[in-house]
Amino acid sequence: MSHHAPNLEHHFLTRRQLLGRLGMGLGSMALGDLMGAGKAQAALNATNPFGVRQPHFEPTAKRVIHFFMNGGPSQVDTFDPKPMLDKYDGKALPNMSLKTERPTGAGLKSPFKFQKYGQCGLEVSDIFSRTAQFADDLCVIRSMQADVPNHEPSLGLMNTGDGRLHRPSFGSWVTYGLGSENENLPGYISMCPKGMPTRRTKNWQSAFLPSIYQGTYINTENTDVDKLVEFIKNTSLDMKQQRRQLDLLYEMNHNHLIQRDKDQQLDARIQSYELAYRMQMEATDAFDISKEPEHIRKAYGENDFGRQTLIARRLLERGVRFIQLWTGAGQPWDSHDEILDHARLAKDVDGAIAAFMADMKQRGLFDDTLMIWGGEFGRTPAVELPTPGSNAGKQRGRDHNHYGFTNWLAGGGVKGGYTHGATDEFGFAAVEKPVHVHELHATLLRTLGFDHSKFTFKYAGLDFRLTGVEDCKIVPELLA
């Protein structure tokens, strides 16, 4: 039907006039369509949980990899040498009144040798000699502090900012705040061979954040790509048939969701179906390290940690936002019995970390990738006394130590070739420029473009943040 009254003038238009008016009309339609498409895309990004989002500031880091030495590596045997332990080996350490979780005795010198590396002269144990080749890229924090000398709460603190309560993990906060650059892969992946670390899935939980932001766990013990990510392929239906099936399922689930006030768990389940469908296009390729040259695979190593580190590099360059690499199930670095175990553990990770750093430099991804190394706490400089039924009467292990330990950072806008803070002359407690885990988190968030005090999520009427409610500041000396 016509929406305009007849106009006699329209019957006497020249061809040029007709085309001119027609062109203007089509142009207006195109402009309107473009503006509409922009609004539609904006609406899509607003509802897309993995849509790329802008932080408060221009970030220096675009992606994160966390090398987690679960169990608590000893600072005095890795990155914080203490020559005074040689003098007091087998002797009582003076002024050691800090309480430890288990009884400790005399000083225990490190069985490993330290030497200086790089122009910065960083002293590193020989068990990390390959990582030490990148000394001028490392930002070593020798004055880290946690709250208690116990694995579960310390893992909670390091991973979620809270040692007691159910809180979102650091990786969940990052993917919630930044989204992902590849919607065909999970934004947050946690890899651990032969099982899960202590505290299991709570280490990568999303808690009250939408469930889509929780970490995807992968057991990297499997070398078969089809077993790394279970049920990645549908052998019964092709992609077109699956899409029709999922569209029907989506309509049913969406109606169900509306009736239940958009329940987060249900919404996450719907999103997981869609992600699983999209992963078929890219996950198999991303996890298949057989496509890497042989010299690259050898550089990373043939062990579990080496394989998962190479997989991590392939995932990061495909847009995955946050990856956490655990050493192994349980708490491998928990050397209560024999500190020499650190040599075996370091051998499994040292070469892979060095290969990763070299690889990222060669690909131009080093500078905007934030790398984190460390555990949930450190270990005592004094020997742990034997406990019946616990450490088999040996006296060459170290107890837990949260008073002072070491983490290091690299890439992502942190200051390379820099050592921050110090522990006392025996390596027991931080005495210079202490850095609490909350302050570490605040600083890491700053590299990703966030003001930690304003990066919040409202839940149960409160504005929660990763760094808790205490007065917490970033550590500017760690930033380049």
Side-chain angles (χ1 to χ4, degrees):
M1 62 180 288
S2 174
H3 295 278
H4 303 281
N7 188 333
L8 185 63
E9 180 186 354
H10 293 168
H11 293 282
F12 297 96
L13 290 174
T14 66
R15 182 168 60 181
R16 180 171 294 177
Q17 289 173 323
L18 176 63
L19 290 174
R21 294 193 179 191
L22 181 62
M24 291 293 290
L26 290 175
S28 298
M29 291 173 62
L31 179 61
D33 183 65
L34 286 171
M35 293 179 69
K39 291 179 181 178
Q41 185 62 45
L44 178 62
N45 288 338
T47 58
N48 178 9
F50 279 159
V52 175
R53 289 176 285 279
Q54 295 300 315
H56 302 135
F57 317 107
E58 185 66 27
T60 54
K62 294 182 179 178
R63 61 195 74 84
V64 181
I65 184 167
H66 190 171
F67 301 106
F68 209 111
M69 308 294 107
N70 43 313
S74 167
Q75 67 281 2
V76 299
D77 296 293
T78 54
F79 294 93
D80 189 9
K82 294 299 175 183
M84 284 295 286
L85 284 180
D86 292 346
K87 179 179 178 181
Y88 280 86
D89 185 42
K91 301 176 183 178
L93 300 180
N95 302 318
M96 289 292 106
S97 58
L98 296 175
K99 185 178 180 180
T100 56
E101 189 175 33
R102 296 169 180 82
T104 56
L108 177 62
K109 71 176 184 179
S110 177
F112 312 117
K113 302 299 181 183
F114 283 78
Q115 70 179 66
K116 294 182 178 181
Y117 292 86
Q119 293 183 353
C120 64
L122 175 68
E123 289 188 90
V124 182
S125 166
D126 56 10
I127 64 175
F128 276 104
S129 60
R130 294 182 64 180
T131 300
Q133 302 302 318
F134 296 87
D136 291 328
D137 296 302
L138 301 184
C139 179
V140 180
I141 311 170
R142 287 178 171 166
S143 54
M144 287 297 305
Q145 291 181 324
D147 293 336
V148 294
N150 188 269
H151 291 291
E152 286 79 2
S154 293
L155 283 165
L157 180 65
M158 187 63 74
N159 283 289
T160 74
D162 196 302
R164 299 163 299 166
L165 303 175
H166 195 62
R167 294 288 182 262
S169 63
F170 180 37
S172 295
W173 278 107
V174 172
T175 48
Y176 161 69
L178 295 178
S180 178
E181 294 181 329
N182 188 335
E183 297 178 15
N184 296 332
L185 291 168
Y188 174 20
I189 294 177
S190 191
M191 292 189 270
C192 183
K194 297 180 173 65
M196 293 188 183
T198 297
R199 208 170 173 267
R200 301 175 66 81
T201 60
K202 290 181 180 179
N203 292 302
W204 49 84
Q205 66 191 352
S206 60
F208 48 71
L209 289 179
S211 298
I212 193 67
Y213 299 117
Q214 70 184 8
T216 297
Y217 163 70
I218 295 173
N219 183 343
T220 49
E221 179 184 10
N222 295 309
T223 56
D224 187 332
V225 177
D226 292 330
K227 292 180 180 179
L228 272 173
V229 184
E230 291 185 295
F231 311 116
I232 191 61
K233 295 179 181 178
N234 189 326
T235 57
S236 303
L237 301 174
D238 61 29
M239 296 291 287
K240 187 175 181 180
Q241 291 173 313
Q242 289 180 61
R243 183 68 267 170
R244 291 178 61 192
Q245 187 182 70
L246 280 174
D247 286 343
L248 173 61
L249 184 63
Y250 176 83
E251 290 296 329
M252 297 170 65
N253 282 334
H254 186 66
N255 292 334
H256 191 62
L257 180 66
I258 292 174
Q259 295 171 15
R260 281 150 184 82
D261 195 28
K262 297 185 178 180
D263 178 80
Q264 285 189 9
Q265 297 294 330
L266 181 56
D267 183 54
R269 182 64 58 86
I270 295 172
Q271 296 289 348
S272 70
Y273 287 136
E274 293 295 323
L275 177 60
Y277 172 77
R278 297 193 303 270
M279 281 179 67
Q280 295 177 84
M281 295 181 282
E282 207 160 332
T284 302
D285 176 69
F287 285 91
D288 189 0
I289 63 173
S290 68
K291 296 183 178 182
E292 293 287 332
E294 184 178 1
H295 73 277
I296 293 290
R297 298 197 304 270
K298 285 185 176 180
Y300 277 85
E302 300 295 330
N303 60 7
D304 293 333
F305 196 88
R307 288 196 304 272
Q308 72 179 12
T309 306
L310 180 51
I311 291 171
R313 193 224 75 206
R314 291 174 63 83
L315 291 169
L316 289 170
E317 66 182 348
R318 284 165 171 77
V320 173
R321 185 70 71 183
F322 195 106
I323 295 179
Q324 197 169 42
L325 300 182
W326 299 82
T327 307
Q331 44 210 42
W333 289 84
D334 197 23
S335 299
H336 289 283
D337 294 353
E338 177 59 78
I339 200 62
L340 285 172
D341 288 344
H342 269 38
R344 170 182 54 81
L345 293 161
K347 183 179 179 180
D348 286 342
V349 305
D350 181 39
I353 293 172
F356 175 85
M357 297 175 81
D359 213 355
M360 296 297 274
K361 281 178 174 285
Q362 186 270 329
R363 294 168 186 272
L365 297 172
F366 186 95
D367 291 342
D368 57 7
T369 301
L370 177 62
M371 306 167 206
I372 311 164
W373 179 95
E376 62 269 37
F377 44 52
R379 310 206 76 81
T380 58
V383 68
E384 180 177 328
L385 296 178
T387 304
S390 177
N391 50 0
K394 295 183 181 180
Q395 295 191 50
R396 288 194 57 82
R398 304 188 189 277
D399 194 22
H400 307 161
N401 179 20
H402 66 291
Y403 299 110
F405 59 101
T406 297
N407 276 14
W408 62 251
L409 313 172
V414 303
K415 187 183 298 183
Y418 173 66
T419 300
H420 183 86
T423 51
D424 60 62
E425 60 185 348
F426 299 109
F428 206 156
V431 293
E432 293 180 18
K433 300 178 181 178
V435 178
H436 188 271
V437 173
H438 283 159
E439 294 172 312
L440 175 67
H441 284 160
T443 308
L444 298 180
L445 286 175
R446 183 61 182 84
T447 69
L448 294 159
F450 293 104
D451 179 340
H452 76 98
S453 65
K454 298 177 181 178
F455 186 29
T456 61
F457 186 88
K458 186 173 287 294
Y459 173 71
L462 299 173
D463 288 326
F464 286 88
R465 68 189 198 195
L466 172 64
T467 51
V469 298
E470 299 88 353
D471 183 22
C472 174
K473 300 184 183 299
I474 68 169
V475 185
E477 298 97 317
L478 303 181
L479 303 177

